[in-house]
Amino acid sequence: MAIIGQGISLRGMTHEKFHYPFYLKSGTLAADVGKAVSMDSSAANSVKLAEDGDILTGALVTREDRVVEGVLVGTVALRGGFTFTEKDSPTFAIALGDSVVGAGAGKVKARENADGTAKEPNLTDNIVVEVVGDQITIITR
């Protein structure tokens, strides 16, 4: 829910109709819950921690190791207000109104031009609405 009284924050806003199950890439840990994920093109219906330059799919909400079946599964929130950690020493600091992409290990960085010379938001994907230190809150569409 949005926080009101001490100001407005969109952190934690979720739309449960947009929570979907996915297979998780091997090595995804319980500590990765809450991190940014992207599609894993090596297997159908699979996500991985967002790697450098990946378009974000959403945030990992749950992780379950189905040992008997030999798979990791999890729930991914595809829409909402997500707070992710900015990568250390980014090329371009993330600012309000930017868009973010994966930066590796489930962290994010500012979306850049194809040639990497400047930031170039894609507001049809996500919008940065809050920056507090290295904690970046985005809303997705």
Side-chain angles (χ1 to χ4, degrees), residues 48-124:
K48 61 185 178 183
L49 290 180
E51 296 175 359
D52 191 36
D54 285 352
I55 301 297
L56 304 183
T57 301
L60 184 60
V61 177
T62 65
R63 174 203 175 267
E64 182 181 338
D65 188 350
R66 295 190 177 172
V67 178
V68 173
E69 298 173 40
V71 296
L72 290 173
V73 296
T75 301
V76 175
L78 304 180
R79 289 194 179 178
F82 308 124
T83 300
F84 299 127
T85 302
E86 181 178 20
K87 89 175 226 174
D88 299 327
S89 304
T91 304
F92 299 101
I94 297 173
L96 299 177
D98 284 347
S99 294
V100 296
V101 295
K107 292 184 178 185
V108 297
K109 66 179 184 177
R111 184 178 182 277
E112 301 172 13
N113 288 326
D115 62 2
T117 57
K119 296 188 290 184
E120 182 180 38
N122 178 359
L123 303 182
T124 62

Side-chain angles (χ1 to χ4, degrees), residues 16-62:
E16 292 183 9
K17 292 181 182 179
F18 293 98
H19 284 204
Y20 288 90
F22 285 91
Y23 292 109
L24 304 178
K25 187 170 184 174
S26 177
T28 305
L29 306 171
D32 295 326
V33 169
K35 292 184 180 179
V37 295
S38 60
M39 295 305 300
D40 180 3
S41 61
S42 69
N45 304 312
S46 297
V47 295
K48 61 185 178 183
L49 290 180
E51 296 175 359
D52 191 36
D54 285 352
I55 301 297
L56 304 183
T57 301
L60 184 60
V61 177
T62 65

